[in-house]
Amino acid sequence: MVSRVIPVDNFDLVIFGGTGDLARRKILPGLFRRYHSGQMPADARIIGAARSDMDRKGYQAEVKKALEEFVPKDARSEKTVNGFLDGIDYVTIDAMGDGGWKELSTMLRKDVVRAFYFSVAPSLFGPLAERLHGHSCAGPSCRIVVEKPFGRDLESAKALNKTLRDHFDESQIYRIDHYLGKETVQNLMAVRFGNMLFEPLWNAQYVDHVQITVAESVGVDGRGAYYDKSGAMRDMMQNHLMQLLCLTAMEPPSRFDPDAVRDEKLKVIRALEPVTPEHIVRGQYVSPEAGASYLEQVEDPESITESYIAMELAISNWRWAGVPFYLRTGKRLKARYSEIAVVFKDAPHSIFGQAAGRHRNVLTIRLQPNEGMDLFVTIKEPGPGGMRLVDVPLDMTFADALGPEAEDVPDAYERLIMDVIRGNQTLFMRGDEVEAAWAWTDPLIEGWTERGDRPYTYDSGSTGPEEAAMLLHKEGRRWREIRP
Ligand code: NAD
């Protein structure tokens, strides 16, 4: 495969929170990989901005440490690391005060793309936005990138949107959901809208149901207090799984352009029916190991926050009427595994008789690990013994199909940051989408909070609560395996 790295325009990227965990683990290593691939112009600049009192050399040393920790050895060389560090600068700044802003404004160049990454607590978004304008750092063409969580309910999301829009136009605001930056997620659109094969079947007439799974094997270890205020619904379902659902269920946009795509996603959220309690299963993990159960880790034996949620959703439009969408996500599950599975209906009549068993086509889109797609088709099992049928995957693992370069695809953060520099908002959430997702989520959370519903328990390392399996069993279906 020929490398198709298209260099981006020259830029100044300021990372507020440049010394934080996200910057060290994701943003800076991601930028380095883009530099290493030749996508970043040689004199692009990255300016760390945080409270710590440090000079440029001190920050460069911190960045070097982060690269050594988070970029594999064979993906960096001394030359490229030093070249990358040359473009790194730092300013000590206080988002709540006036220190450092004048220095920042003199550092910024006029004739390059200007972007500000808000990798700080959301309570600092407002103060940052105000000061960026007050100190003439922001202009009409600059861009800001904001991290999740985008609010914790509709009211706070609206307030956050208002704060940002008081200072920036919607076209300047890039709300990151890193799931949208994954190669397979974009491939879902390519497969749906670039082929004749799938789209005609992508509806209630041919699809039996859809499953979306985002399973994590880690627990809330060390982040218990923070996580317990949020739970799987707010942390994962309202944003990541909702976005995957939208891309799976949306109508074809007229063009692959930001507003056309986001308009269609928004319509899906608005077409979601309210979910009744019997279609929701929430869980908390338990463990025989001392201190490893959810309630112990959040240090609140009364907590009713869920570390797992499974739901059956219905989309009320012509395309999806009567097709259940089963979504589940949780912590401390059997494996780290994420996929979207579109399960097609049975053939209307089996010429092979009952003995041939039940066979269904399934298209799975794997997000992690091992990004790729499988299309399960039914064939005859080779060899003697009559017409025995078996379902085999047509494996579309990118690395196998497209050669070693496909393994070197940018990770989600890299791609999304480059999209910010390119000014492409397609893979970022628009303000109204986020608000619509909260408007759908809020009554569900209010419902179980008011009723005081206690989550079911599930064993660490399992596939989730038994009751979640029942969600599908009662309809004669079952969850696909969570594979290690
Ligand atoms: P962190 O606590 O590790 O870092 C916070 C950063 O903000 C530090 O650089 C700190 O110096 C800076 N900061 C704090 N107060 C400041 C002030 N008054 N003025 C200037 N700088 C200030 O946090 P993090 O984990 O890097 O998370 C940053 C943001 O990203 C948060 O909104 C978080 O929700 C979001 N996020 C983080 C992760 C992750 O994996 N860490 C994942 C998704 C989203």
Side-chain angles (χ1 to χ4, degrees):
M1 197 178 75
V2 183
S3 173
R4 293 190 200 281
V5 172
I6 301 170
V8 293
D9 289 343
N10 204 1
F11 64 86
D12 283 346
L13 170 67
V14 180
I15 308 173
F16 291 109
T19 58
D21 176 66
L22 185 69
R24 295 184 68 257
R25 274 191 316 113
K26 291 287 181 189
I27 305 172
L28 290 160
L31 284 162
F32 170 74
R33 279 174 49 99
R34 292 296 88 214
Y35 175 83
H36 189 78
S37 76
Q39 194 171 20
M40 264 168 62
D43 59 344
R45 264 197 334 196
I46 297 156
I47 304 169
R51 265 193 313 196
S52 317
D53 197 6
M54 230 189 292
D55 61 8
R56 177 170 185 242
K57 283 254 159 312
Y59 188 59
Q60 285 174 332
E62 290 296 315
V63 175
K64 191 172 180 201
K65 264 196 259 167
L67 300 185
E68 282 164 1
E69 200 176 339
F70 297 109
V71 179
K73 238 186 176 153
D74 58 1
R76 57 183 152 88
S77 67
E78 202 181 328
K79 187 165 167 248
T80 47
V81 169
N82 288 338
F84 180 72
L85 293 178
D86 276 348
I88 298 273
D89 220 322
Y90 183 77
V91 56
T92 304
I93 220 160
D94 183 2
M96 307 289 277
D98 288 316
W101 289 97
K102 197 152 170 258
E103 290 86 322
L104 178 62
S105 77
T106 53
M107 273 181 192
L108 295 168
R109 295 172 290 178
K110 283 210 164 47
D111 48 354
V112 298
V113 173
R114 197 178 281 187
F116 302 99
Y117 201 128
F118 289 10
S119 181
V120 291
S123 57
L124 296 181
F125 291 178
L128 279 180
E130 255 165 50
R131 282 169 181 76
L132 279 173
H133 279 281
H135 294 274
S136 310
C137 296
S141 62
C142 78
R143 291 143 207 182
I144 60 165
V145 186
V146 293
E147 266 298 336
K148 84 166 211 187
F150 202 87
R152 54 172 285 108
D153 51 24
L154 178 58
E155 194 186 337
S156 54
K158 275 186 169 167
L160 210 46
N161 271 336
K162 180 174 180 323
T163 304
L164 296 179
R165 287 184 190 134
D166 281 348
H167 301 280
F168 298 95
D169 186 73
E170 181 64 37
S171 62
Q172 296 177 276
I173 306 171
Y174 290 71
R175 296 174 193 77
I176 272 207
D177 182 328
H178 69 275
Y179 272 68
L180 294 184
K182 288 186 183 286
E183 187 72 17
T184 24
V185 169
Q186 293 167 73
N187 239 313
L188 172 59
M189 287 189 273
V191 164
R192 280 194 64 191
F193 306 131
N195 293 286
M196 191 54 203
L197 201 57
F198 297 106
E199 198 49 28
L201 306 179
W202 210 262
N203 56 51
Q205 199 180 343
Y206 297 102
V207 174
D208 180 76
H209 72 278
V210 175
Q211 297 186 18
I212 302 179
T213 299
V214 176
E216 296 179 281
S217 53
V218 294
V220 299
D221 328 82
R223 296 172 59 226
Y226 161 81
Y227 185 89
D228 199 44
K229 291 196 199 87
S230 138
M233 182 66 158
R234 287 193 171 97
D235 194 44
M236 300 294 292
M237 186 66 83
Q238 183 272 346
N239 39 60
H240 303 316
L241 279 90
M242 182 63 68
Q243 288 294 319
L244 300 181
L245 170 78
C246 288
L247 292 173
T248 310
M250 72 182 183
E251 294 299 316
S254 57
R255 293 174 307 283
F256 187 57
D257 96 7
D259 277 328
V261 171
R262 297 186 299 179
D263 285 347
E264 295 306 335
K265 280 163 51 197
L266 179 62
K267 283 184 208 162
V268 174
I269 305 176
R270 292 195 172 146
L272 284 174
E273 286 181 14
V275 190
T276 51
E278 65 273 20
H279 292 120
I280 305 176
V281 173
R282 297 186 311 128
Q284 285 176 342
Y285 56 83
V286 290
S287 166
E289 209 182 304
S293 291
Y294 180 78
L295 291 178
E296 293 168 304
Q297 293 194 324
V298 302
E299 295 177 8
D300 177 4
E302 300 302 318
S303 167
I304 62 162
T305 304
E306 72 286 347
S307 60
Y308 174 99
I309 186 164
M311 310 172 89
E312 178 181 334
L313 306 188
I315 300 173
S316 43
N317 61 22
W318 273 55
R319 184 186 283 265
W320 295 118
V323 178
F325 282 72
Y326 299 104
L327 274 56
R328 64 178 163 167
T329 180
K331 293 197 173 290
R332 273 287 166 85
L333 294 174
K334 190 174 161 195
R336 177 169 176 263
Y337 189 76
S338 303
E339 70 162 30
I340 301 168
V342 180
V343 181
F344 291 90
K345 288 187 173 166
D346 294 357
H349 164 71
S350 171
I351 63 166
F352 306 109
Q354 278 199 340
R358 188 176 191 189
H359 298 275
R360 285 181 155 184
N361 298 124
V362 182
L363 176 69
T364 65
I365 297 117
R366 276 192 313 277
L367 280 78
Q368 64 193 17
N370 204 8
E371 288 193 58
M373 298 191 194
D374 280 316
L375 176 64
F376 287 84
V377 292
T378 303
I379 60 163
K380 176 188 170 298
E381 204 175 312
M387 190 53 103
R388 285 174 291 119
L389 301 185
V390 60
D391 297 334
V392 294
L394 292 181
D395 187 343
M396 295 181 267
T397 302
F398 302 142
D400 295 346
L402 302 174
E405 278 199 34
E407 284 187 48
D408 198 31
V409 292
D411 107 333
Y413 271 94
E414 297 168 35
R415 172 192 315 277
L416 292 173
I417 298 171
M418 290 301 106
D419 276 356
V420 174
I421 304 302
R422 278 189 284 255
N424 184 347
Q425 289 184 302
T426 310
L427 300 174
F428 295 83
M429 293 179 295
R430 208 169 52 190
D432 51 0
E433 260 184 273
V434 178
E435 289 183 15
W438 281 121
W440 175 82
T441 309
D442 277 2
L444 305 180
I445 299 179
E446 279 159 22
W448 68 63
T449 309
E450 269 165 30
R451 292 190 301 274
D453 290 351
R454 291 210 72 81
Y456 299 103
T457 56
Y458 62 99
D459 291 338
S460 281
S462 70
T463 55
E466 281 292 310
E467 291 74 7
M470 287 310 295
L471 257 188
L472 276 75
H473 281 185
K474 63 180 195 253
E475 316 265 355
R477 302 185 175 102
R478 59 192 171 91
W479 288 109
R480 289 174 48 77
E481 202 190 332
I482 294 179
R483 281 175 279 169

